[in-house]
Amino acid sequence: MAFLSFVGRVLFVSVFVLSAWQEFNEFGVDGGSAAKALKPKFDVFSKHLTTHTGFQVPAFEIKFLVAGAIALKALGSLLFVFGSTLGATLLILHQLIATPILYDFYNYDIEKKEFLHLFIKFTQSLALLGALLFFVGMKNSTPRRSSTTKKAAKTKTT
């Protein structure tokens, strides 16, 4: 059962690892194609955030946001493969930040082709987020074996 769980975690993080690897290879000096695609979406998201909450997003280069996403996905994936809730938490953080920015279906008319494409990607990303939350919940609800139980069993048999 432990082996199947490990294989499942490896297959699960392959989505994040392959994405991080591609972004890392294309990064270059300016953040690569990920930064070029993210810039207009982030600008629209920042305007929405400012309009609805009054919170002004500080100005920074998008390549730092892409580098942070690469780091979150890489480190989170590595830790998650070995069953760490910290790794799952890093991946949850990435999903919470990236999903509403990347898959901005809410900026399109429902009849447009982009709406359906972005909405499908958004729901897939929510499914990944749900699986990560499920993992953290199961890790926290599973009782851990304590060393006192093993010691008590040994003293009864002697």
Side-chain angles (χ1 to χ4, degrees):
M1 191 66 166
F3 178 72
L4 286 177
S5 178
F6 177 75
V7 169
R9 289 192 307 270
V10 168
L11 292 173
F12 182 81
V13 299
S14 67
V15 173
F16 297 103
V17 170
L18 293 173
S19 170
W21 181 254
Q22 180 183 5
E23 289 174 5
F24 178 75
N25 283 334
E26 296 175 355
F27 193 76
V29 184
D30 61 348
S33 60
K36 290 179 184 118
L38 186 61
K39 178 73 172 140
K41 289 179 179 271
F42 186 76
D43 289 342
V44 170
F45 178 77
S46 297
K47 287 178 188 175
H48 276 298
L49 191 65
T50 303
T51 302
H52 295 297
T53 64
F55 177 73
Q56 182 68 34
V57 178
F60 60 91
E61 290 189 51
I62 293 296
K63 69 179 181 180
F64 297 127
L65 187 62
V66 173
I70 293 169
L72 279 176
K73 287 189 276 190
L75 183 60
S77 295
L78 179 68
L79 294 172
F80 183 78
V81 164
F82 296 108
S84 168
T85 55
L86 177 61
T89 305
L90 292 175
L91 293 174
I92 287 170
L93 181 63
H94 171 267
Q95 289 297 99
L96 287 174
I97 294 169
T99 300
I101 297 171
L102 291 176
Y103 310 119
D104 59 342
F105 68 94
Y106 47 83
N107 289 326
Y108 295 89
D109 255 350
I110 199 165
E111 290 87 21
K112 294 207 177 206
K113 184 180 176 182
E114 293 89 5
F115 177 87
L116 184 60
H117 175 72
L118 290 169
F119 186 73
I120 289 171
K121 293 287 191 180
F122 181 82
T123 55
Q124 288 173 346
S125 190
L126 286 182
L128 292 174
L129 178 61
L132 289 164
L133 291 170
F134 180 78
F135 175 82
V136 170
M138 289 301 292
K139 272 296 222 190
N140 290 333
S141 68
T142 306
R144 291 181 174 79
R145 292 183 181 170
S146 67
S147 60
T148 58
T149 309
K150 291 179 182 177
K151 288 179 183 176
K154 286 181 181 180
T155 57
K156 286 182 181 178
T157 58
T158 57

mmCIF file of all heavy atoms in Angstrom, residues 89-136:
data_model
loop_
_atom_site.group_PDB
_atom_site.id
_atom_site.type_symbol
_atom_site.label_atom_id
_atom_site.label_comp_id
_atom_site.label_asym_id
_atom_site.label_seq_id
_atom_site.Cartn_x
_atom_site.Cartn_y
_atom_site.Cartn_z
ATOM 1 N N THR A 89 1.410 21.927 1.072
ATOM 2 C CA THR A 89 1.049 23.311 1.392
ATOM 3 C C THR A 89 1.664 24.285 0.386
ATOM 4 O O THR A 89 1.009 25.249 -0.020
ATOM 5 C CB THR A 89 1.504 23.670 2.821
ATOM 6 O OG1 THR A 89 0.950 22.709 3.730
ATOM 7 C CG2 THR A 89 1.061 25.054 3.215
ATOM 8 N N LEU A 90 2.888 24.045 -0.025
ATOM 9 C CA LEU A 90 3.514 24.897 -1.047
ATOM 10 C C LEU A 90 2.766 24.796 -2.373
ATOM 11 O O LEU A 90 2.550 25.804 -3.060
ATOM 12 C CB LEU A 90 4.980 24.516 -1.238
ATOM 13 C CG LEU A 90 5.918 24.819 -0.082
ATOM 14 C CD1 LEU A 90 7.314 24.269 -0.358
ATOM 15 C CD2 LEU A 90 5.976 26.301 0.205
ATOM 16 N N LEU A 91 2.359 23.589 -2.737
ATOM 17 C CA LEU A 91 1.598 23.415 -3.972
ATOM 18 C C LEU A 91 0.208 24.044 -3.863
ATOM 19 O O LEU A 91 -0.306 24.611 -4.833
ATOM 20 C CB LEU A 91 1.497 21.931 -4.334
ATOM 21 C CG LEU A 91 2.815 21.272 -4.732
ATOM 22 C CD1 LEU A 91 2.628 19.767 -4.930
ATOM 23 C CD2 LEU A 91 3.406 21.906 -5.979
ATOM 24 N N ILE A 92 -0.395 23.971 -2.676
ATOM 25 C CA ILE A 92 -1.682 24.639 -2.448
ATOM 26 C C ILE A 92 -1.518 26.142 -2.612
ATOM 27 O O ILE A 92 -2.339 26.806 -3.255
ATOM 28 C CB ILE A 92 -2.241 24.293 -1.047
ATOM 29 C CG1 ILE A 92 -2.742 22.858 -1.023
ATOM 30 C CG2 ILE A 92 -3.339 25.264 -0.628
ATOM 31 C CD1 ILE A 92 -3.088 22.347 0.365
ATOM 32 N N LEU A 93 -0.455 26.693 -2.047
ATOM 33 C CA LEU A 93 -0.182 28.127 -2.177
ATOM 34 C C LEU A 93 -0.043 28.514 -3.642
ATOM 35 O O LEU A 93 -0.605 29.525 -4.089
ATOM 36 C CB LEU A 93 1.081 28.493 -1.390
ATOM 37 C CG LEU A 93 1.501 29.951 -1.403
ATOM 38 C CD1 LEU A 93 0.445 30.820 -0.748
ATOM 39 C CD2 LEU A 93 2.836 30.116 -0.692
ATOM 40 N N HIS A 94 0.696 27.706 -4.399
ATOM 41 C CA HIS A 94 0.844 27.977 -5.830
ATOM 42 C C HIS A 94 -0.508 27.960 -6.540
ATOM 43 O O HIS A 94 -0.816 28.853 -7.334
ATOM 44 C CB HIS A 94 1.783 26.961 -6.483
ATOM 45 C CG HIS A 94 1.797 27.070 -7.966
ATOM 46 N ND1 HIS A 94 0.980 26.314 -8.763
ATOM 47 C CD2 HIS A 94 2.489 27.876 -8.798
ATOM 48 C CE1 HIS A 94 1.169 26.646 -10.024
ATOM 49 N NE2 HIS A 94 2.085 27.588 -10.068
ATOM 50 N N GLN A 95 -1.314 26.946 -6.251
ATOM 51 C CA GLN A 95 -2.617 26.838 -6.912
ATOM 52 C C GLN A 95 -3.527 28.013 -6.550
ATOM 53 O O GLN A 95 -4.243 28.523 -7.403
ATOM 54 C CB GLN A 95 -3.298 25.521 -6.543
ATOM 55 C CG GLN A 95 -2.648 24.304 -7.155
ATOM 56 C CD GLN A 95 -2.698 24.316 -8.659
ATOM 57 O OE1 GLN A 95 -1.724 24.677 -9.312
ATOM 58 N NE2 GLN A 95 -3.815 23.955 -9.214
ATOM 59 N N LEU A 96 -3.504 28.429 -5.296
ATOM 60 C CA LEU A 96 -4.349 29.542 -4.866
ATOM 61 C C LEU A 96 -3.965 30.859 -5.540
ATOM 62 O O LEU A 96 -4.822 31.684 -5.838
ATOM 63 C CB LEU A 96 -4.299 29.698 -3.348
ATOM 64 C CG LEU A 96 -5.032 28.634 -2.537
ATOM 65 C CD1 LEU A 96 -4.774 28.833 -1.050
ATOM 66 C CD2 LEU A 96 -6.517 28.671 -2.831
ATOM 67 N N ILE A 97 -2.677 31.036 -5.778
ATOM 68 C CA ILE A 97 -2.220 32.273 -6.414
ATOM 69 C C ILE A 97 -2.397 32.202 -7.930
ATOM 70 O O ILE A 97 -2.895 33.140 -8.553
ATOM 71 C CB ILE A 97 -0.751 32.559 -6.052
ATOM 72 C CG1 ILE A 97 -0.625 32.853 -4.562
ATOM 73 C CG2 ILE A 97 -0.199 33.715 -6.878
ATOM 74 C CD1 ILE A 97 0.799 32.899 -4.055
ATOM 75 N N ALA A 98 -1.996 31.093 -8.533
ATOM 76 C CA ALA A 98 -1.939 30.999 -9.991
ATOM 77 C C ALA A 98 -3.298 30.793 -10.656
ATOM 78 O O ALA A 98 -3.546 31.336 -11.737
ATOM 79 C CB ALA A 98 -0.996 29.872 -10.402
ATOM 80 N N THR A 99 -4.178 30.034 -10.048
ATOM 81 C CA THR A 99 -5.430 29.654 -10.705
ATOM 82 C C THR A 99 -6.286 30.846 -11.116
ATOM 83 O O THR A 99 -6.673 30.935 -12.283
ATOM 84 C CB THR A 99 -6.229 28.674 -9.820
ATOM 85 O OG1 THR A 99 -5.428 27.515 -9.611
ATOM 86 C CG2 THR A 99 -7.529 28.279 -10.468
ATOM 87 N N PRO A 100 -6.610 31.784 -10.230
ATOM 88 C CA PRO A 100 -7.471 32.894 -10.681
ATOM 89 C C PRO A 100 -6.780 33.855 -11.653
ATOM 90 O O PRO A 100 -7.451 34.556 -12.402
ATOM 91 C CB PRO A 100 -7.852 33.610 -9.386
ATOM 92 C CG PRO A 100 -6.846 33.200 -8.388
ATOM 93 C CD PRO A 100 -6.333 31.862 -8.794
ATOM 94 N N ILE A 101 -5.461 33.868 -11.663
ATOM 95 C CA ILE A 101 -4.753 34.753 -12.582
ATOM 96 C C ILE A 101 -4.629 34.114 -13.962
ATOM 97 O O ILE A 101 -4.918 34.745 -14.978
ATOM 98 C CB ILE A 101 -3.356 35.115 -12.032
ATOM 99 C CG1 ILE A 101 -3.492 35.888 -10.730
ATOM 100 C CG2 ILE A 101 -2.564 35.934 -13.047
ATOM 101 C CD1 ILE A 101 -2.189 36.111 -9.990
ATOM 102 N N LEU A 102 -4.210 32.864 -14.019
ATOM 103 C CA LEU A 102 -3.978 32.206 -15.301
ATOM 104 C C LEU A 102 -5.259 31.866 -16.044
ATOM 105 O O LEU A 102 -5.329 31.990 -17.264
ATOM 106 C CB LEU A 102 -3.168 30.917 -15.097
ATOM 107 C CG LEU A 102 -1.730 31.081 -14.667
ATOM 108 C CD1 LEU A 102 -1.101 29.723 -14.414
ATOM 109 C CD2 LEU A 102 -0.944 31.837 -15.721
ATOM 110 N N TYR A 103 -6.258 31.417 -15.322
ATOM 111 C CA TYR A 103 -7.485 30.937 -15.959
ATOM 112 C C TYR A 103 -8.622 31.912 -15.687
ATOM 113 O O TYR A 103 -9.576 31.619 -14.987
ATOM 114 C CB TYR A 103 -7.805 29.524 -15.469
ATOM 115 C CG TYR A 103 -6.607 28.617 -15.585
ATOM 116 C CD1 TYR A 103 -6.052 28.014 -14.465
ATOM 117 C CD2 TYR A 103 -5.991 28.406 -16.813
ATOM 118 C CE1 TYR A 103 -4.936 27.201 -14.574
ATOM 119 C CE2 TYR A 103 -4.874 27.607 -16.925
ATOM 120 C CZ TYR A 103 -4.359 27.003 -15.803
ATOM 121 O OH TYR A 103 -3.241 26.218 -15.924
ATOM 122 N N ASP A 104 -8.508 33.090 -16.292
ATOM 123 C CA ASP A 104 -9.422 34.202 -16.047
ATOM 124 C C ASP A 104 -10.652 34.138 -16.949
ATOM 125 O O ASP A 104 -10.948 35.063 -17.693
ATOM 126 C CB ASP A 104 -8.689 35.527 -16.213
ATOM 127 C CG ASP A 104 -8.083 35.701 -17.591
ATOM 128 O OD1 ASP A 104 -7.931 34.692 -18.302
ATOM 129 O OD2 ASP A 104 -7.770 36.844 -17.959
ATOM 130 N N PHE A 105 -11.398 33.056 -16.854
ATOM 131 C CA PHE A 105 -12.600 32.889 -17.665
ATOM 132 C C PHE A 105 -13.619 33.985 -17.384
ATOM 133 O O PHE A 105 -14.440 34.310 -18.224
ATOM 134 C CB PHE A 105 -13.228 31.515 -17.404
ATOM 135 C CG PHE A 105 -13.792 31.361 -16.030
ATOM 136 C CD1 PHE A 105 -15.131 31.626 -15.787
ATOM 137 C CD2 PHE A 105 -12.996 30.948 -14.974
ATOM 138 C CE1 PHE A 105 -15.658 31.488 -14.513
ATOM 139 C CE2 PHE A 105 -13.513 30.805 -13.715
ATOM 140 C CZ PHE A 105 -14.847 31.074 -13.481
ATOM 141 N N TYR A 106 -13.577 34.571 -16.207
ATOM 142 C CA TYR A 106 -14.523 35.598 -15.793
ATOM 143 C C TYR A 106 -14.374 36.893 -16.591
ATOM 144 O O TYR A 106 -15.216 37.762 -16.509
ATOM 145 C CB TYR A 106 -14.384 35.862 -14.292
ATOM 146 C CG TYR A 106 -12.955 36.027 -13.836
ATOM 147 C CD1 TYR A 106 -12.287 37.237 -13.953
ATOM 148 C CD2 TYR A 106 -12.254 34.943 -13.304
ATOM 149 C CE1 TYR A 106 -10.973 37.376 -13.557
ATOM 150 C CE2 TYR A 106 -10.949 35.071 -12.898
ATOM 151 C CZ TYR A 106 -10.311 36.287 -13.035
ATOM 152 O OH TYR A 106 -9.000 36.413 -12.647
ATOM 153 N N ASN A 107 -13.311 37.014 -17.382
ATOM 154 C CA ASN A 107 -13.115 38.210 -18.212
ATOM 155 C C ASN A 107 -13.675 38.048 -19.618
ATOM 156 O O ASN A 107 -13.524 38.951 -20.433
ATOM 157 C CB ASN A 107 -11.623 38.549 -18.312
ATOM 158 C CG ASN A 107 -11.081 39.078 -17.007
ATOM 159 O OD1 ASN A 107 -11.776 39.765 -16.268
ATOM 160 N ND2 ASN A 107 -9.854 38.734 -16.701
ATOM 161 N N TYR A 108 -14.307 36.917 -19.910
ATOM 162 C CA TYR A 108 -14.793 36.643 -21.252
ATOM 163 C C TYR A 108 -16.299 36.401 -21.244
ATOM 164 O O TYR A 108 -16.854 35.962 -20.238
ATOM 165 C CB TYR A 108 -14.086 35.402 -21.838
ATOM 166 C CG TYR A 108 -12.609 35.603 -22.037
ATOM 167 C CD1 TYR A 108 -11.710 35.311 -21.020
ATOM 168 C CD2 TYR A 108 -12.117 36.101 -23.237
ATOM 169 C CE1 TYR A 108 -10.353 35.491 -21.195
ATOM 170 C CE2 TYR A 108 -10.758 36.295 -23.419
ATOM 171 C CZ TYR A 108 -9.884 35.989 -22.398
ATOM 172 O OH TYR A 108 -8.533 36.181 -22.571
ATOM 173 N N ASP A 109 -16.931 36.661 -22.390
ATOM 174 C CA ASP A 109 -18.339 36.335 -22.575
ATOM 175 C C ASP A 109 -18.509 34.831 -22.619
ATOM 176 O O ASP A 109 -17.646 34.124 -23.135
ATOM 177 C CB ASP A 109 -18.855 36.925 -23.891
ATOM 178 C CG ASP A 109 -19.724 38.138 -23.676
ATOM 179 O OD1 ASP A 109 -20.077 38.399 -22.530
ATOM 180 O OD2 ASP A 109 -20.050 38.800 -24.678
ATOM 181 N N ILE A 110 -19.633 34.346 -22.146
ATOM 182 C CA ILE A 110 -19.865 32.913 -22.084
ATOM 183 C C ILE A 110 -19.929 32.280 -23.476
ATOM 184 O O ILE A 110 -19.653 31.092 -23.638
ATOM 185 C CB ILE A 110 -21.136 32.613 -21.262
ATOM 186 C CG1 ILE A 110 -21.150 31.169 -20.801
ATOM 187 C CG2 ILE A 110 -22.388 32.948 -22.044
ATOM 188 C CD1 ILE A 110 -22.147 30.867 -19.720
ATOM 189 N N GLU A 111 -20.252 33.053 -24.494
ATOM 190 C CA GLU A 111 -20.345 32.530 -25.855
ATOM 191 C C GLU A 111 -18.982 32.405 -26.536
ATOM 192 O O GLU A 111 -18.855 31.733 -27.547
ATOM 193 C CB GLU A 111 -21.242 33.420 -26.726
ATOM 194 C CG GLU A 111 -22.714 33.367 -26.362
ATOM 195 C CD GLU A 111 -23.072 34.369 -25.276
ATOM 196 O OE1 GLU A 111 -22.332 35.349 -25.069
ATOM 197 O OE2 GLU A 111 -24.099 34.145 -24.606
ATOM 198 N N LYS A 112 -17.975 33.055 -25.998
ATOM 199 C CA LYS A 112 -16.649 33.034 -26.635
ATOM 200 C C LYS A 112 -15.944 31.708 -26.404
ATOM 201 O O LYS A 112 -16.124 31.057 -25.375
ATOM 202 C CB LYS A 112 -15.788 34.176 -26.112
ATOM 203 C CG LYS A 112 -16.329 35.528 -26.508
ATOM 204 C CD LYS A 112 -15.233 36.519 -26.568
ATOM 205 C CE LYS A 112 -15.831 37.829 -27.034
ATOM 206 N NZ LYS A 112 -14.883 38.644 -27.680
ATOM 207 N N LYS A 113 -15.113 31.335 -27.375
ATOM 208 C CA LYS A 113 -14.368 30.079 -27.307
ATOM 209 C C LYS A 113 -13.381 30.079 -26.134
ATOM 210 O O LYS A 113 -13.188 29.052 -25.481
ATOM 211 C CB LYS A 113 -13.634 29.872 -28.629
ATOM 212 C CG LYS A 113 -12.904 28.577 -28.747
ATOM 213 C CD LYS A 113 -12.210 28.465 -30.090
ATOM 214 C CE LYS A 113 -11.400 27.199 -30.163
ATOM 215 N NZ LYS A 113 -10.674 27.093 -31.424
ATOM 216 N N GLU A 114 -12.765 31.221 -25.863
ATOM 217 C CA GLU A 114 -11.789 31.325 -24.785
ATOM 218 C C GLU A 114 -12.419 31.035 -23.425
ATOM 219 O O GLU A 114 -11.770 30.496 -22.534
ATOM 220 C CB GLU A 114 -11.145 32.720 -24.751
ATOM 221 C CG GLU A 114 -10.283 33.042 -25.937
ATOM 222 C CD GLU A 114 -11.067 33.669 -27.078
ATOM 223 O OE1 GLU A 114 -12.282 33.940 -26.918
ATOM 224 O OE2 GLU A 114 -10.466 33.877 -28.140
ATOM 225 N N PHE A 115 -13.686 31.429 -23.261
ATOM 226 C CA PHE A 115 -14.374 31.200 -21.991
ATOM 227 C C PHE A 115 -14.385 29.723 -21.645
ATOM 228 O O PHE A 115 -14.008 29.335 -20.541
ATOM 229 C CB PHE A 115 -15.813 31.728 -22.051
ATOM 230 C CG PHE A 115 -16.591 31.444 -20.796
ATOM 231 C CD1 PHE A 115 -16.552 32.318 -19.723
ATOM 232 C CD2 PHE A 115 -17.364 30.296 -20.680
ATOM 233 C CE1 PHE A 115 -17.251 32.056 -18.564
ATOM 234 C CE2 PHE A 115 -18.066 30.015 -19.526
ATOM 235 C CZ PHE A 115 -18.018 30.900 -18.471
ATOM 236 N N LEU A 116 -14.816 28.898 -22.571
ATOM 237 C CA LEU A 116 -14.915 27.463 -22.310
ATOM 238 C C LEU A 116 -13.547 26.849 -22.040
ATOM 239 O O LEU A 116 -13.375 26.070 -21.100
ATOM 240 C CB LEU A 116 -15.592 26.754 -23.480
ATOM 241 C CG LEU A 116 -15.837 25.262 -23.298
ATOM 242 C CD1 LEU A 116 -16.728 25.009 -22.088
ATOM 243 C CD2 LEU A 116 -16.429 24.658 -24.544
ATOM 244 N N HIS A 117 -12.555 27.230 -22.854
ATOM 245 C CA HIS A 117 -11.198 26.702 -22.669
ATOM 246 C C HIS A 117 -10.648 27.068 -21.289
ATOM 247 O O HIS A 117 -10.127 26.210 -20.560
ATOM 248 C CB HIS A 117 -10.289 27.232 -23.773
ATOM 249 C CG HIS A 117 -8.862 26.854 -23.623
ATOM 250 N ND1 HIS A 117 -8.404 25.587 -23.841
ATOM 251 C CD2 HIS A 117 -7.776 27.583 -23.252
ATOM 252 C CE1 HIS A 117 -7.109 25.542 -23.609
ATOM 253 N NE2 HIS A 117 -6.705 26.751 -23.257
ATOM 254 N N LEU A 118 -10.763 28.327 -20.908
ATOM 255 C CA LEU A 118 -10.249 28.785 -19.620
ATOM 256 C C LEU A 118 -11.052 28.204 -18.459
ATOM 257 O O LEU A 118 -10.483 27.883 -17.407
ATOM 258 C CB LEU A 118 -10.244 30.304 -19.551
ATOM 259 C CG LEU A 118 -9.214 30.995 -20.445
ATOM 260 C CD1 LEU A 118 -9.470 32.484 -20.511
ATOM 261 C CD2 LEU A 118 -7.811 30.705 -19.959
ATOM 262 N N PHE A 119 -12.358 28.046 -18.644
ATOM 263 C CA PHE A 119 -13.183 27.480 -17.580
ATOM 264 C C PHE A 119 -12.824 26.022 -17.322
ATOM 265 O O PHE A 119 -12.768 25.583 -16.166
ATOM 266 C CB PHE A 119 -14.670 27.609 -17.929
ATOM 267 C CG PHE A 119 -15.578 27.177 -16.811
ATOM 268 C CD1 PHE A 119 -15.716 27.972 -15.689
ATOM 269 C CD2 PHE A 119 -16.269 25.987 -16.879
ATOM 270 C CE1 PHE A 119 -16.535 27.582 -14.638
ATOM 271 C CE2 PHE A 119 -17.091 25.582 -15.843
ATOM 272 C CZ PHE A 119 -17.229 26.382 -14.716
ATOM 273 N N ILE A 120 -12.560 25.268 -18.376
ATOM 274 C CA ILE A 120 -12.141 23.866 -18.216
ATOM 275 C C ILE A 120 -10.811 23.799 -17.486
ATOM 276 O O ILE A 120 -10.638 23.003 -16.554
ATOM 277 C CB ILE A 120 -12.088 23.160 -19.587
ATOM 278 C CG1 ILE A 120 -13.496 22.956 -20.120
ATOM 279 C CG2 ILE A 120 -11.344 21.831 -19.487
ATOM 280 C CD1 ILE A 120 -13.559 22.474 -21.552
ATOM 281 N N LYS A 121 -9.855 24.632 -17.882
ATOM 282 C CA LYS A 121 -8.555 24.654 -17.202
ATOM 283 C C LYS A 121 -8.709 25.078 -15.737
ATOM 284 O O LYS A 121 -8.026 24.561 -14.850
ATOM 285 C CB LYS A 121 -7.591 25.603 -17.919
ATOM 286 C CG LYS A 121 -7.180 25.146 -19.282
ATOM 287 C CD LYS A 121 -6.228 23.998 -19.162
ATOM 288 C CE LYS A 121 -5.587 23.697 -20.487
ATOM 289 N NZ LYS A 121 -4.657 22.601 -20.395
ATOM 290 N N PHE A 122 -9.595 26.039 -15.496
ATOM 291 C CA PHE A 122 -9.845 26.507 -14.132
ATOM 292 C C PHE A 122 -10.384 25.368 -13.265
ATOM 293 O O PHE A 122 -9.915 25.166 -12.143
ATOM 294 C CB PHE A 122 -10.843 27.675 -14.160
ATOM 295 C CG PHE A 122 -11.151 28.261 -12.819
ATOM 296 C CD1 PHE A 122 -10.303 29.188 -12.238
ATOM 297 C CD2 PHE A 122 -12.297 27.894 -12.124
ATOM 298 C CE1 PHE A 122 -10.577 29.743 -10.997
ATOM 299 C CE2 PHE A 122 -12.586 28.444 -10.888
ATOM 300 C CZ PHE A 122 -11.727 29.367 -10.330
ATOM 301 N N THR A 123 -11.358 24.625 -13.776
ATOM 302 C CA THR A 123 -11.926 23.532 -12.990
ATOM 303 C C THR A 123 -10.924 22.398 -12.793
ATOM 304 O O THR A 123 -10.917 21.754 -11.744
ATOM 305 C CB THR A 123 -13.226 22.994 -13.624
ATOM 306 O OG1 THR A 123 -12.984 22.623 -14.977
ATOM 307 C CG2 THR A 123 -14.331 24.035 -13.566
ATOM 308 N N GLN A 124 -10.059 22.156 -13.771
ATOM 309 C CA GLN A 124 -9.005 21.155 -13.592
ATOM 310 C C GLN A 124 -8.033 21.590 -12.494
ATOM 311 O O GLN A 124 -7.591 20.777 -11.675
ATOM 312 C CB GLN A 124 -8.245 20.925 -14.897
ATOM 313 C CG GLN A 124 -9.031 20.169 -15.928
ATOM 314 C CD GLN A 124 -8.314 20.100 -17.274
ATOM 315 O OE1 GLN A 124 -7.342 20.823 -17.520
ATOM 316 N NE2 GLN A 124 -8.807 19.241 -18.141
ATOM 317 N N SER A 125 -7.726 22.857 -12.479
ATOM 318 C CA SER A 125 -6.842 23.385 -11.445
ATOM 319 C C SER A 125 -7.502 23.289 -10.069
ATOM 320 O O SER A 125 -6.830 23.007 -9.066
ATOM 321 C CB SER A 125 -6.481 24.831 -11.780
ATOM 322 O OG SER A 125 -5.479 25.302 -10.952
ATOM 323 N N LEU A 126 -8.812 23.510 -10.015
ATOM 324 C CA LEU A 126 -9.532 23.350 -8.752
ATOM 325 C C LEU A 126 -9.521 21.894 -8.294
ATOM 326 O O LEU A 126 -9.459 21.618 -7.089
ATOM 327 C CB LEU A 126 -10.976 23.837 -8.880
ATOM 328 C CG LEU A 126 -11.183 25.344 -8.925
ATOM 329 C CD1 LEU A 126 -12.676 25.658 -9.006
ATOM 330 C CD2 LEU A 126 -10.563 26.037 -7.740
ATOM 331 N N ALA A 127 -9.566 20.958 -9.239
ATOM 332 C CA ALA A 127 -9.496 19.541 -8.891
ATOM 333 C C ALA A 127 -8.136 19.209 -8.274
ATOM 334 O O ALA A 127 -8.050 18.454 -7.287
ATOM 335 C CB ALA A 127 -9.757 18.678 -10.112
ATOM 336 N N LEU A 128 -7.063 19.758 -8.836
ATOM 337 C CA LEU A 128 -5.738 19.559 -8.250
ATOM 338 C C LEU A 128 -5.677 20.153 -6.847
ATOM 339 O O LEU A 128 -5.124 19.540 -5.917
ATOM 340 C CB LEU A 128 -4.657 20.193 -9.128
ATOM 341 C CG LEU A 128 -4.403 19.547 -10.485
ATOM 342 C CD1 LEU A 128 -3.419 20.387 -11.289
ATOM 343 C CD2 LEU A 128 -3.890 18.141 -10.320
ATOM 344 N N LEU A 129 -6.251 21.334 -6.689
ATOM 345 C CA LEU A 129 -6.292 21.974 -5.377
ATOM 346 C C LEU A 129 -7.071 21.117 -4.385
ATOM 347 O O LEU A 129 -6.643 20.926 -3.242
ATOM 348 C CB LEU A 129 -6.918 23.369 -5.486
ATOM 349 C CG LEU A 129 -7.074 24.161 -4.198
ATOM 350 C CD1 LEU A 129 -5.734 24.427 -3.554
ATOM 351 C CD2 LEU A 129 -7.802 25.458 -4.466
ATOM 352 N N GLY A 130 -8.199 20.574 -4.819
ATOM 353 C CA GLY A 130 -8.994 19.706 -3.954
ATOM 354 C C GLY A 130 -8.232 18.454 -3.538
ATOM 355 O O GLY A 130 -8.317 18.018 -2.389
ATOM 356 N N ALA A 131 -7.488 17.864 -4.473
ATOM 357 C CA ALA A 131 -6.695 16.672 -4.145
ATOM 358 C C ALA A 131 -5.615 17.008 -3.122
ATOM 359 O O ALA A 131 -5.352 16.217 -2.204
ATOM 360 C CB ALA A 131 -6.077 16.094 -5.408
ATOM 361 N N LEU A 132 -4.995 18.166 -3.259
ATOM 362 C CA LEU A 132 -3.974 18.578 -2.293
ATOM 363 C C LEU A 132 -4.585 18.818 -0.914
ATOM 364 O O LEU A 132 -4.007 18.415 0.111
ATOM 365 C CB LEU A 132 -3.256 19.837 -2.783
ATOM 366 C CG LEU A 132 -2.322 19.640 -3.967
ATOM 367 C CD1 LEU A 132 -1.967 20.979 -4.606
ATOM 368 C CD2 LEU A 132 -1.072 18.903 -3.534
ATOM 369 N N LEU A 133 -5.746 19.459 -0.879
ATOM 370 C CA LEU A 133 -6.425 19.678 0.398
ATOM 371 C C LEU A 133 -6.838 18.350 1.027
ATOM 372 O O LEU A 133 -6.738 18.169 2.251
ATOM 373 C CB LEU A 133 -7.647 20.583 0.204
ATOM 374 C CG LEU A 133 -7.345 22.038 -0.141
ATOM 375 C CD1 LEU A 133 -8.618 22.762 -0.533
ATOM 376 C CD2 LEU A 133 -6.652 22.736 1.013
ATOM 377 N N PHE A 134 -7.278 17.415 0.204
ATOM 378 C CA PHE A 134 -7.632 16.086 0.691
ATOM 379 C C PHE A 134 -6.414 15.395 1.304
ATOM 380 O O PHE A 134 -6.502 14.789 2.376
ATOM 381 C CB PHE A 134 -8.204 15.245 -0.450
ATOM 382 C CG PHE A 134 -8.587 13.856 -0.047
ATOM 383 C CD1 PHE A 134 -9.759 13.616 0.645
ATOM 384 C CD2 PHE A 134 -7.778 12.786 -0.373
ATOM 385 C CE1 PHE A 134 -10.124 12.337 1.023
ATOM 386 C CE2 PHE A 134 -8.125 11.501 -0.005
ATOM 387 C CZ PHE A 134 -9.298 11.272 0.698
ATOM 388 N N PHE A 135 -5.267 15.507 0.628
ATOM 389 C CA PHE A 135 -4.035 14.904 1.136
ATOM 390 C C PHE A 135 -3.671 15.481 2.504
ATOM 391 O O PHE A 135 -3.364 14.738 3.436
ATOM 392 C CB PHE A 135 -2.880 15.133 0.146
ATOM 393 C CG PHE A 135 -1.558 14.643 0.647
ATOM 394 C CD1 PHE A 135 -1.215 13.307 0.547
ATOM 395 C CD2 PHE A 135 -0.644 15.515 1.224
ATOM 396 C CE1 PHE A 135 0.000 12.841 1.013
ATOM 397 C CE2 PHE A 135 0.570 15.068 1.690
ATOM 398 C CZ PHE A 135 0.897 13.723 1.588
ATOM 399 N N VAL A 136 -3.715 16.795 2.623
ATOM 400 C CA VAL A 136 -3.374 17.436 3.899
ATOM 401 C C VAL A 136 -4.368 17.018 4.979
ATOM 402 O O VAL A 136 -3.979 16.715 6.111
ATOM 403 C CB VAL A 136 -3.323 18.975 3.749
ATOM 404 C CG1 VAL A 136 -3.219 19.663 5.095
ATOM 405 C CG2 VAL A 136 -2.168 19.376 2.854
#
